[in-house]
Amino acid sequence: QVQLVESGGGLVQVGGSLRLSCAASGRTFSSLRMAWFRQAPGKERESVATISWSGGDTAYLDSVKGRFTISRDNAKKTVYLQMNSLKPEDTGVYYCAAKTSAIGNFNYWGQGTQVTVSA
């Protein structure tokens, strides 16, 4: 089992920055592929960024490329999402997710943290 706990959400003005953190426990963190998802009101959950176990392979939703950066610290068992130049459309609940294989769905989820970007 893997437990994930997010933190760092909040209210920020357009153009501002936030850094989300996700602390993991329960399984060897370095063996997990990690990701950040988000869900806006009335919309489906979407993948924002993913990162491989080593941190060497990352992928981003097109709308956040150049503004968001996913990273991980395997020694601290933590994954981060640095969000810059935030826009109102970035508003939503952000979830940390993990999976144990390179293929298939993410099977471990955090409780989510709210990010609100005000105009």
Side-chain angles (χ1 to χ4, degrees):
Q1 290 293 322
V2 177
Q3 293 79 44
L4 303 172
V5 179
E6 302 99 334
S7 61
L11 174 65
V12 64
Q13 292 185 333
V14 169
S17 298
L18 282 175
R19 188 175 83 153
L20 305 182
S21 299
C22 173
S25 62
R27 189 183 176 105
T28 303
F29 180 73
S30 59
S31 69
L32 301 172
R33 186 173 184 93
M34 304 296 297
W36 287 96
F37 287 73
R38 69 185 180 190
Q39 187 166 21
K43 296 186 177 181
E44 294 187 356
R45 188 157 52 186
E46 60 183 356
S47 174
V48 175
T50 63
I51 189 167
S52 62
W53 67 271
S54 68
D57 179 24
T58 59
Y60 296 91
L61 182 69
D62 282 348
S63 63
V64 308
K65 286 180 180 177
R67 300 188 297 121
F68 290 13
T69 303
I70 188 171
S71 62
R72 67 191 293 162
D73 185 333
N74 286 345
K76 294 183 178 179
K77 298 183 180 180
T78 302
V79 64
Y80 305 97
L81 185 68
Q82 177 67 43
M83 306 186 293
N84 299 327
S85 302
L86 282 161
K87 304 176 181 180
E89 52 264 42
D90 295 320
T91 294
V93 179
Y94 282 69
Y95 297 91
C96 177
K99 61 179 179 178
T100 54
S101 63
I103 59 174
N105 296 326
F106 285 86
N107 47 353
Y108 299 104
W109 295 87
Q111 81 288 352
T113 185
Q114 177 70 44
V115 171
T116 303
V117 184
S118 64

